Each structure stands twice: as structure tokens, then as C-alpha cells.
Amino acid sequence: MIYILAIESSCDDTSAAVLRDGVLLSNVTASQAVHEQYGGVVPELASRAHEQNIVPVVDQALKRAGVEKEQLSAIAFTRGPGLMGSLLVGVNFAKGLALSLGIPLIDVNHLQGHVLAHFIREEGEPYSPPPFPFLCLLVSGGNSQIIRVNAYNNMQILGQTIDDAAGEAIDKCSKVMGLGYPGGPIIDRLARQGNPDAYQFAKPNIPGYDYSFSGLKTSFLYSLRDWLKDDLDFIEHHKEDLAASLEKTIVDILMKKLRMAVKETGITHVAVAGGVSANNGLRNAFHDHARRYGWTVYIPKFSYTTDNAAMIGIAGHFKYQDHEYCDINSPAFARMQ
Ligand code: KG4
């Protein structure tokens, strides 16, 4: 039997998971509330919290799985991209533990982990992952990409954001509105009660499959500034409509390029992944496209949209099967390699 312990610490979630033969036995995540008061992730505080969380989180994951560390076949870990200080905690913990147990190390690219979240298998749960090749819209706080997934270990980025990520744009607009952090879930909740056609914001006009969200962010900011001149309580009076219109604009931008990619590649199996895939407006747009254009869509469970070690574990499991191990000297990387 293959037992994999997986560790994820790329941003502000410390997570550990245990898998047996590719089936998830446990997935434990400690999120960091400390950042809320700053309206964004503070890297130094994130590293310190990881340092505090890593031992209890790994311990819990092993206990819940009923697995002893001596049974482990390998340790998979997120090597990047992410915040360097955060990554270093997970990377060095994984290296130390693998070395002491004399078992292989498997490095996982965080973004590939998000895509492979669709292959997480759980006892007693239906399992219907997308067939290769499929397209994946990866939308998180740090990335917005359209990826052609040819195999577990063969992914081609067709397009990506040239400035802000979709999640980053939502978080920044929410901050401008004086809402909490992270803004994504708050905007999502407010948007459900608002009119998505109440306001228009700028949409980018750039070629190919690339995205851009900085123009929308500026247009949102300037529009608010003008409206606030006439009504100081404009945000309070219209926050539902503002959230719904902002969400609709972002979903429209994301889906337009995705439709183009489906049309030009002829691939109609389409998945969504990353933190923003928790968004209800985006999920509805996927279902709507499935009905309207005959796509087969793949939407992850809410628990596997944001950062988690289960996705790192399944990516690690596939690499273990291919004997793709990582050298102990391999450093963490902050940016895409
Ligand atoms: O994938 P993720 O957990 O972290 C990385 O960036 O790697 O994504 C976090 C992003 C944040 O921008 C957050 O606001 C956004 O995902 N998010 C959402 C929702 N839940 C989280 N955005 C829109 N609607 C949501 N329900």
C-alpha cells in the first residue's frame, strides 16, 4: 500500500493530508485569522503562524487517518509558487521528516495541485474526474489562468492575467468598499441579494486568452468616488447591487476567454479550480454554459477550492507512481518556474 503525507503552506493555510493508494484518509487545515485586521496576508505573520501550526496539523492528519509515520511511503509538499517565508516552513518540515524516516520526497507545484484537486478520491463518495485533455480555469488570489491539461504531469498555460488575479481584484474592490478580508466570500454573499445589471464597470480588451483586471479595479474605484460625492452613504445603500455588478463583470470577463478557448481547442470538458471557484456566480455560469453550449463541467467541492493539502497529496500520489522524486537540495520557489 502507498501512504503519502502531504503538506501545504504556500500562503496563509497550514494544511496536512494523508492518502492511502490515492484515496484521501484525512485533510486538516489551520487557517490564520491573524491577517483579518490588516486587510490582507502579512507574510511575516504567516510564516510565524505556520511555524506554530505545522506540528499539530501534521499530527492531527496522521491521527485522523489512523496512520503511523513509520508506515509512510513518501512525503509530498508544496515547493512553490507562494510566499517564500510560508513555503520554507512546510518545505523544511517535509525535508526533515522524510530524511529522518528515510523515505522519498515529492515536490508539487501549487498550481498543478489546484488543477489536480479534481482527482481527489474519498471513500464512499462518487468519483468522476475529467478525462484528458480538459481545460481548467484556475482562479485564485494570486492567479487567473486557462490551462490545457493533457495529463497529470502535462499542463499547458494557454492564457493568464497580465496584472491582477481575479481574486485579488475582488479582494481589493471589497477593501475599497470597507468590507472585511478576504473579500471574496463577502462579495459572494452580498451579490446573491443584488442586481447584477445595476452598474457597468470597464472590461478589458486584450488579445488572446490573457486576462487583465487592473482596469476594472480602477473603474470600480473611480465610479465609487463619483457616486460618493453625491451620497456619502452610497456604499451602505447599494452594497448588494455593487457586489452583484462587480461579480457579474468578473465572471463575464473570465467566461468570455474560456468560451474562446473551448471553441478554438474543441475541448468541451471544462473544469474550474482555485479559491474563486467557490464563488456562486462563477459556479452558476459554469452550469449555464454546460446547458447552453453542451460543455461537461467539473466543479470542486467547496473544501477543495481554497488551499488544502489533499490536492498536494493526490498530485504527489501520481508523481510517486512515476517515481518522480525530489532532491533534498531542491529549494522552495516563490514565482512560477
Ligand atoms: O486559492 P486561494 O485559497 O489562495 C491562493 O490565492 O492561492 O484563493 C483565495 C482567493 C481570495 O482572493 C478570496 O477572496 C477568493 O479566493 N475567494 C472567493 C470566494 N471564496 C474565496 N472569491 C469569490 N467568491 C468566493 N466565494
Side-chain angles (χ1 to χ4, degrees):
M1 282 201 213
I2 304 168
Y3 285 101
I4 307 266
L5 167 69
I7 292 170
E8 153 67 34
S9 73
S10 64
C11 190
D12 60 342
D13 292 301
T14 320
S15 185
V18 178
L19 290 84
R20 182 181 56 218
D21 292 334
V23 177
L24 185 69
L25 299 179
S26 65
N27 181 51
V28 177
T29 303
S31 302
Q32 305 177 356
V34 63
H35 307 288
E36 279 165 20
Q37 58 184 303
Y38 300 99
V41 177
V42 183
E44 174 64 22
L45 296 180
S47 323
R48 292 181 195 202
H50 282 305
E51 200 59 60
Q52 285 172 344
N53 293 340
I54 189 94
V55 172
V57 162
V58 169
D59 197 48
Q60 269 300 309
L62 287 166
K63 282 209 177 94
R64 284 192 201 171
V67 171
E68 298 292 330
K69 54 184 183 311
E70 290 73 21
Q71 289 175 270
L72 294 174
S73 317
I75 298 180
F77 66 99
T78 303
R79 212 178 122 205
L83 297 172
M84 186 46 93
S86 290
L87 286 165
L88 285 176
V89 178
V91 170
N92 290 327
F93 187 90
K95 286 182 178 177
L97 190 56
L99 198 62
S100 71
L101 295 170
I103 55 175
L105 267 173
I106 302 169
D107 60 333
V108 174
N109 178 304
H110 180 77
L111 303 178
Q112 291 184 351
H114 271 302
V115 174
L116 295 178
H118 288 280
F119 295 84
I120 296 172
R121 230 181 326 149
E122 289 173 278
E123 205 79 65
E125 297 266 325
Y127 182 66
S128 45
F132 299 115
F134 66 95
L135 295 179
C136 185
L137 175 70
L138 174 56
V139 269
S140 69
N143 294 277
S144 300
Q145 302 179 328
I146 298 178
I147 303 169
R148 181 192 162 116
V149 187
N150 298 315
Y152 302 122
N153 53 1
N154 180 344
M155 301 187 193
Q156 188 188 352
I157 297 171
L158 301 182
Q160 58 191 325
T161 181
I162 55 166
D163 40 57
D164 288 353
E168 193 179 353
I170 297 177
D171 291 344
K172 285 179 180 167
C173 291
S174 136
K175 198 172 175 177
V176 167
M177 285 172 70
L179 305 173
Y181 175 85
I186 304 170
I187 294 287
D188 192 349
R189 187 169 36 79
L190 290 171
R192 307 276 71 76
Q193 303 147 37
N195 172 9
D197 298 312
Y199 308 106
Q200 311 289 319
F201 303 110
K203 288 187 185 165
N205 188 10
I206 51 169
Y209 300 123
D210 284 342
Y211 287 119
S212 165
F213 290 100
S214 69
L216 161 65
K217 200 181 58 188
T218 314
S219 137
F220 188 82
L221 180 71
Y222 287 174
S223 304
L224 265 191
R225 202 185 50 186
D226 291 345
W227 293 326
L228 282 167
K229 277 186 199 151
D230 299 329
D231 174 7
L232 273 178
D233 293 323
F234 185 85
I235 296 173
E236 190 46 41
H237 293 152
H238 303 280
K239 58 182 189 293
E240 292 84 4
D241 287 349
L242 284 167
S245 304
L246 172 69
E247 182 186 277
K248 179 174 190 277
T249 311
I250 290 182
V251 170
D252 283 353
I253 295 171
L254 290 171
M255 297 311 286
K256 184 178 172 195
K257 293 288 170 97
L258 198 54
R259 276 196 304 276
M260 244 172 78
V262 168
K263 207 166 163 195
E264 285 169 29
T265 60
I267 300 172
T268 53
H269 289 272
V270 192
V272 61
V276 183
S277 68
N279 181 267
N280 284 289
L282 185 58
R283 286 173 170 240
N284 291 342
F286 263 71
H287 291 306
D288 178 54
H289 279 62
R291 275 191 302 270
R292 222 180 320 161
Y293 302 107
W295 298 3
T296 311
V297 297
Y298 302 85
I299 298 172
K301 265 173 108 169
F302 278 107
S303 42
Y304 304 133
T305 55
T306 46
D307 293 346
N308 66 87
M311 66 186 196
I312 304 303
I314 193 65
H317 176 79
F318 294 136
K319 285 185 98 172
Y320 184 86
Q321 288 181 316
D322 290 341
H323 306 287
E324 265 192 65
Y325 305 141
C326 152
D327 191 276
I328 191 111
N329 294 320
S330 308
F333 58 89
R335 303 206 154 268
M336 263 309 260
Q337 292 201 314

